[in-house]
């Protein structure tokens, strides 16, 4: 998806359903048993395998953007139409087909939505302790 | 992606902002998924209708489209809203009603039918092999897997964009080669009811990502019960379809098996209420078919819903009208047949409902976050036992 940005990565190993999985009031992940439960996605490069579940998720992404609570960019292993359409209408740079295992939470990541590439510009210190 | 001259003109804004926006949504979506063109669709089904799940911001998006004269070019149905016009409307505060009516007004202006159901296929069955742009994950999986109609799992806004343009990008399950099973699932236990079938869907959705399973070993299963597999698979997964009891043609594809322990574990994980006394017993996720309403009516005949327990059967207005006498029987027993709404997208928390018992794995999955309620997942007979006296 068009657009570029550089921000801190927030990485999940689990799929995300934006409806029911993210609280549109504060941008926090609320799905129980999720590895990011309780974490806010605002202004992060949100990295997760793929979306799942409700097709209303696109509108949740749009609402988050309107309230300034959306992620700065989205990186997926496999794109899902619900997340893609949310990113389109919310103007969030998004790329897919990325080996997300290489990115760790806390890394600084550059996302180029035009070229479909991501670059880790700065690794978080003590990276091994933070996955 | 190849666009016709006419499509390019729409993309350049010659038909106005709304059409340009919708065309751009479709083109960007198509480009990301490698579509080479847009194809005409026979119908669209739009999600994002309930004020509870939609919220305020997207209403302005809908209003901007409607005010700029966006109009649907194909028959387009709507998902359920957050309340029904008879029972819940009287029990909920006015500030929840007005935005909901506003949402419906915008959709009406754009020419969408006020079907208000997650089962649009009961209103008009799509033809085998016809192309559609449906949101509502349960209906997408049902269309592809049970009815043989072809649709990707659209996001709410892309289904609306497709409706307004009358086309959808040609990728995913619109192409025959992408409809073949690429993983075999051997169910090594007899699934005894709709709740166990739903648990299978939840489990497969979590495991398979976007792979299409060929499910082997299901007993003879009615379309109503397969609907539970569809809804659950659409909840935890991103797959658009499954095959039942057909052997994959290609050899050497991965095989996985599902045993009783996994089904029991999945139901246990979803059914977290600490007591067996529900505030609400809910049937109709996805919306009940005429047969399901009839069956429930027969089972509650002459019985009485417990005092202090709500008993809801949700369906479309269309099915409710066809089910006249059955609806009356359920009402005589003290139950409510609600049309155009469902528990997941309605304001149960505001009604003081803290424990929801249901036969639907999809509802049980969403209840803790969307309803802030503890779910109890059990088959129809057990749900009725909890709802009825004696």
């Amino acid at each position: 998806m068009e657009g570029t940005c550089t921000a801190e990565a927030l990485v999940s190993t689990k799929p995300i359903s934006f409806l029911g999985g993210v609280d549109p009031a504060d941008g926090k992940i609320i799905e129980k048993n999720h590895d990011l439960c309780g974490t806010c996605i605002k202004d992060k490069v949100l990295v997760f395998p793929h979306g799942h579940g409700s097709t209303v998720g696109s509108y949740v992404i749009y609402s988050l953007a309107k309230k300034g609570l959306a992620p700065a960019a989205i990186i997926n292993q496999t794109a899902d139409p619900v997340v893609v359409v949310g990113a389109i209408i919310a103007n969030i740079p998004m790329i897919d087909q990325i080996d997300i295992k290489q990115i760790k939470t806390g890394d600084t990541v550059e996302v180029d939505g035009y070229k479909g590439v991501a670059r880790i510009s700065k690794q978080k210190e003590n990276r091994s302790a933070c996955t | 992606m190849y666009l016709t001259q006419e499509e390019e003109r729409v993309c350049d804004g010659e038909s106005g902002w709304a059409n340009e926006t919708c065309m751009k949504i479709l083109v960007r979506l198509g480009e990301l998924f490698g579509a080479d063109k847009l194809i005409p669709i026979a119908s669209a089904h739009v999600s994002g209708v309930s004020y509870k799940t939609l919220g305020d911001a997207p209403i302005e998006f809908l209003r901007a489209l409607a005010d700029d004269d966006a109009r649907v070019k194909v028959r387009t149905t709507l998902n359920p809203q957050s309340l029904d016009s008879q029972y819940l409307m009287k029990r909920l505060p006015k500030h929840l009603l007005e935005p909901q009516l506003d949402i419906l007004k915008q959709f009406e202006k754009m020419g969408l039918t006020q079907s208000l159901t997650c089962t649009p296929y009961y209103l008009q069955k799509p033809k085998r092999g016809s192309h559609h742009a449906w949101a509502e994950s349960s209906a997408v999986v049902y269309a592809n897997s049970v009815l043989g109609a072809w649709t990707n799992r659209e996001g709410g806004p892309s289904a609306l964009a497709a409706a307004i343009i009358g086309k959808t990008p040609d990728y995913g399950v619109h192409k025959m080669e992408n409809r073949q099973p690429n993983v075999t699932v051997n169910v090594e236990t007899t699934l005894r009811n709709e709740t166990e079938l739903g648990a299978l869907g939840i489990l497969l959705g979590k495991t398979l990502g976007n792979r299409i399973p060929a499910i082997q070993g299901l007993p003879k299963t009615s379309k109503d019960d397969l609907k539970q597999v569809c809804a659950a698979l659409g909840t935890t997964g991103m797959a658009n379809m499954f095959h039942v009891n057909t052997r994959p043609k290609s050899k050497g594809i991965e095989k996985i098996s599902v045993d009783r322990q996994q089904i029991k574990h999945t139901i246990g994980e979803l059914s977290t209420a600490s007591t067996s006394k529900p505030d609400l017993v809910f049937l109709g996720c996805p919306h009940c078919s005429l047969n399901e309403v009839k069956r429930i009516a027969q089972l509650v005949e002459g019985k009485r819903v417990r005092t202090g327990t709500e008993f809801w059967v949700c369906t479309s207005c269309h099915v409710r009208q066809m089910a006249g006498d059955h609806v009356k029987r359920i009402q005589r027993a003290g139950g409510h047949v609600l049309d155009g709404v469902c528990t997941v997208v309605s304001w149960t928390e505001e009604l003081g409902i803290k424990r929801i018992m249901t036969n639907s794995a999809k509802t049980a999955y969403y209840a803790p976050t969307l309803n802030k309620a503890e779910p109890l997942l059990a088959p129809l007979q057990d749900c009725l036992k909890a709802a009825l006296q004696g």
Side-chain angles (χ1 to χ4, degrees):
Chain A
M1 220 53 54
E2 294 167 17
T4 57
C5 90
T6 303
E8 192 183 299
L10 178 65
V11 184
S12 169
T13 58
K14 292 199 169 187
I16 294 176
S17 167
F18 278 84
L19 181 72
V22 182
D23 190 338
D26 60 13
K28 284 184 182 165
I29 304 271
I30 49 171
E31 185 170 340
K32 59 171 188 172
N33 303 328
H34 199 279
D35 56 357
L36 296 183
C37 190
T39 313
C40 184
I41 62 174
K42 178 182 189 294
D43 297 336
K44 305 286 184 190
V45 172
L46 183 61
V47 184
F48 58 104
H50 57 82
H52 75 92
S54 173
T55 60
V56 182
S58 313
Y59 284 119
V60 176
I61 296 172
Y62 179 79
S63 295
L64 289 167
K66 288 282 162 189
K67 288 181 199 160
L69 296 169
I74 293 173
I75 298 179
N76 279 169
Q77 190 95 39
T78 312
D80 151 50
V82 175
V83 177
V84 171
V85 172
I88 293 172
I89 63 171
N91 284 319
I92 298 171
M94 175 183 169
I95 56 174
D96 76 326
Q97 309 288 328
I98 300 291
D99 180 9
I100 62 169
K101 287 193 191 79
Q102 296 191 27
I103 309 170
K104 305 291 176 201
T105 291
D107 288 351
T108 304
V109 178
E110 286 175 43
V111 177
D112 186 335
Y114 298 100
K115 292 183 188 154
V117 295
R119 196 172 77 86
I120 299 169
S121 51
K122 192 180 163 205
Q123 290 192 354
K124 185 183 161 69
E125 285 172 36
N126 303 321
R127 203 166 177 246
S128 59
C130 174
T131 50
Chain B
M1 188 158 132
Y2 168 79
L3 294 182
T4 64
Q5 284 185 347
E6 195 200 333
E7 288 162 359
E8 267 182 9
R9 281 198 294 271
V10 174
C11 214
D12 291 339
E14 284 185 26
S15 309
W17 172 84
N19 281 290
E20 178 192 338
T21 301
C22 292
M23 184 61 92
K24 281 186 173 160
I25 290 174
L26 300 183
V27 171
R28 287 188 190 161
L29 182 64
E31 280 174 349
L32 197 120
F33 284 99
D36 54 1
K37 62 179 186 303
L38 297 174
I39 51 167
I41 49 169
S43 80
H45 178 76
V46 166
S47 68
V49 180
S50 157
Y51 175 51
K52 192 186 90 170
T53 56
L54 198 60
D56 288 303
I59 302 179
E60 296 317 310
F61 175 75
L62 298 176
R63 194 190 319 283
L65 290 176
D67 285 352
D68 200 56
D69 294 328
R71 298 293 178 268
V72 298
K73 290 202 179 56
V74 294
R75 186 176 184 277
T76 306
T77 42
L78 278 175
N79 240 14
Q81 59 170 331
S82 58
L83 38 78
D84 73 313
S85 55
Q86 295 180 17
Y87 181 60
L88 296 177
M89 194 180 273
K90 289 173 196 151
R91 294 189 56 194
L92 289 164
K94 216 177 160 196
H95 73 271
L96 297 177
L97 173 64
E98 280 167 1
Q100 182 63 73
L101 292 175
D102 191 14
I103 292 165
L104 295 186
K105 201 171 106 189
Q106 305 314 321
F107 281 129
E108 194 174 11
K109 219 170 151 186
M110 289 188 265
L112 290 92
T113 66
Q114 303 274 312
S115 49
L116 302 174
T117 182
C118 50
T119 56
Y121 40 85
Y122 294 146
L123 279 63
Q124 190 170 318
K125 194 168 144 187
K127 283 187 187 144
R128 287 192 83 81
S130 54
H131 295 271
H132 305 263
W134 285 11
E136 173 48 44
S137 51
S138 71
V140 168
V141 182
Y142 193 89
N144 284 305
S145 316
V146 179
L147 302 174
W150 297 16
T151 172
N152 284 321
R153 177 170 142 270
E154 300 286 345
S158 67
L160 183 59
I164 286 162
I165 300 297
K167 294 174 184 176
T168 193
D170 189 17
Y171 74 94
V173 293
H174 289 295
K175 292 182 172 292
M176 182 56 113
E177 64 267 29
N178 296 334
R179 299 180 63 83
Q180 306 309 316
N182 42 23
V183 54
T184 302
V185 175
N186 283 319
V187 181
E188 293 171 347
T189 175
T190 306
L191 298 181
R192 291 179 288 224
N193 52 54
E194 76 283 13
T195 296
E196 293 188 353
L197 285 159
L200 175 70
I202 293 285
L203 190 63
L204 294 183
K206 282 184 183 171
T207 334
L208 298 180
N210 61 355
R211 289 183 293 170
I212 298 175
I215 306 174
Q216 315 272 7
L218 287 191
K220 197 169 160 37
T221 308
S222 69
K223 284 182 181 173
D224 285 336
D225 287 349
L226 282 178
K227 191 167 64 172
Q228 291 299 329
V229 184
C230 299
L233 186 68
T235 298
T236 52
M238 60 191 294
N240 291 327
M241 63 182 296
F242 59 82
H243 297 261
V244 174
N245 295 340
T246 51
R247 284 197 183 281
K249 283 177 200 153
S250 46
K251 284 180 183 164
I253 66 171
E254 190 190 345
K255 284 184 186 164
I256 61 169
S257 54
V258 172
D259 59 24
R260 174 134 300 271
Q261 194 52 39
Q262 287 169 288
I263 296 292
K264 266 176 77 176
H265 179 75
T266 304
I267 293 176
E269 266 190 341
L270 290 170
S271 197
T272 55
S274 47
T275 122
S276 58
K277 277 195 178 162
D279 303 317
L280 165 66
V281 176
F282 163 55
L283 305 168
C285 170
H287 273 173
C288 285
S289 66
L290 180 57
N291 262 334
E292 287 173 311
V293 178
K294 184 178 165 188
R295 181 148 180 252
I296 295 163
Q298 286 167 344
L299 292 168
V300 302
E301 176 90 77
K303 298 191 174 135
R304 191 74 209 155
V305 172
R306 283 177 207 274
T307 317
T309 306
E310 294 269 335
F311 178 53
W312 297 359
V313 177
C314 289
T315 187
S316 61
C317 177
H318 174 82
V319 166
R320 185 197 162 104
Q321 279 171 357
M322 288 195 300
D325 283 346
H326 308 309
V327 172
K328 281 182 196 147
R329 271 191 236 168
I330 295 168
Q331 287 170 332
R332 271 201 299 271
H336 299 280
V337 179
L338 311 181
D339 66 77
V341 65
C342 87
T343 294
V344 173
V345 303
S346 81
W347 307 96
T348 51
E349 198 186 354
E350 283 71 9
L351 299 173
I353 291 165
K354 293 190 177 68
R355 280 177 299 275
I356 299 172
M357 187 171 193
T358 179
N359 61 347
S360 160
K362 173 177 179 170
T363 294
Y365 185 90
Y366 282 124
T369 52
L370 288 177
N371 302 93
K372 307 274 186 289
E374 291 180 315
L376 279 153
L377 177 62
L380 175 68
Q381 299 280 3
D382 293 355
C383 287
L384 291 178
K385 221 180 270 174
L388 301 167
Q389 289 174 0

